[in-house]
Amino acid sequence: EHGTPEQKRMLGDALTGHVLSLSLQMYGCRVVQKALEVIGTEQQAKLVNELDNHVLKCIKDQNGNHVIQKVIEQVPPHLVMFVVDTFHGKVRSLATHPYGCRVIQRILEHCSQWANRPDAAEDPGIAAQLSVLDELLSETPSLVQDQYGNYVVQHVLEHGRAEDKAEIIRHLRGRI
């Protein structure tokens, strides 16, 4: 956190090859999260790529889910498309998971920020983010009754776009 840029780079390099195993450890996940906050984009990309094909394992892990959340918060969207792609067809099951619901909330937070960018229509990462939201909205009736899924729907109601809130209301109208 307080090292020189060169020290941060060296420590980031020292994590190479160990990101997955550290992400699944109680204290190691904190090291990976802090590294993602302080290293440059090039190193972030290198470290995050080590999680490719292991995203679901991390999301469902009590420590790894925090790393995935930090990836979504800190790493540019075009470098983390593989994280969002993992959700395709699995939004309901992940929204009803104790850790998965947290990760979806982070995606939704950053999805709305990215969707408002001027180049949003041309960015495949933003389209992938919005597909998570679309899948989530289609599952609204069952999610609102789930012990974890309801938090995801609440998150959309509190922080989402007007059209997403209207869609939730449409799904719930007459079912209260």
Side-chain angles (χ1 to χ4, degrees), residues 67-170:
V67 172
I68 298 298
Q69 289 180 64
K70 188 61 73 173
V71 166
I72 293 164
E73 292 169 2
Q74 296 290 325
V75 182
H78 68 280
L79 297 175
V80 296
M81 266 189 60
F82 70 91
V83 172
V84 178
D85 288 344
T86 301
F87 283 80
H88 185 68
K90 299 177 184 79
V91 171
R92 185 188 185 293
S93 67
L94 290 171
T96 58
H97 188 275
Y99 307 134
C101 71
R102 296 178 192 168
V103 176
I104 288 182
Q105 289 176 44
R106 295 302 82 71
I107 287 174
L108 293 174
E109 287 169 6
H110 294 276
C111 174
S112 62
Q113 292 171 10
W114 298 334
N116 293 328
R117 288 185 6 213
D119 63 342
E122 301 134 26
D123 190 322
I126 293 170
Q129 307 275 333
L130 293 173
S131 73
V132 168
L133 181 59
D134 289 343
E135 195 174 329
L136 176 84
L137 292 173
S138 72
E139 296 288 343
T140 296
S142 63
L143 291 176
V144 298
Q145 297 178 63
D146 182 81
Q147 65 178 334
Y148 301 110
N150 81 86
Y151 292 115
V152 177
V153 176
Q154 287 181 55
H155 195 81
V156 175
L157 289 171
E158 290 177 29
H159 307 286
R161 303 173 304 173
E163 60 262 34
D164 302 327
K165 295 174 186 182
E167 181 72 9
I168 291 171
I169 291 168
R170 187 184 69 72

Side-chain angles (χ1 to χ4, degrees), residues 24-37:
L24 301 174
Q25 296 174 14
M26 184 187 316
Y27 300 114
C29 75
R30 294 169 192 251
V31 172
V32 174
Q33 289 174 74
K34 182 54 75 176
L36 291 171
E37 288 177 9

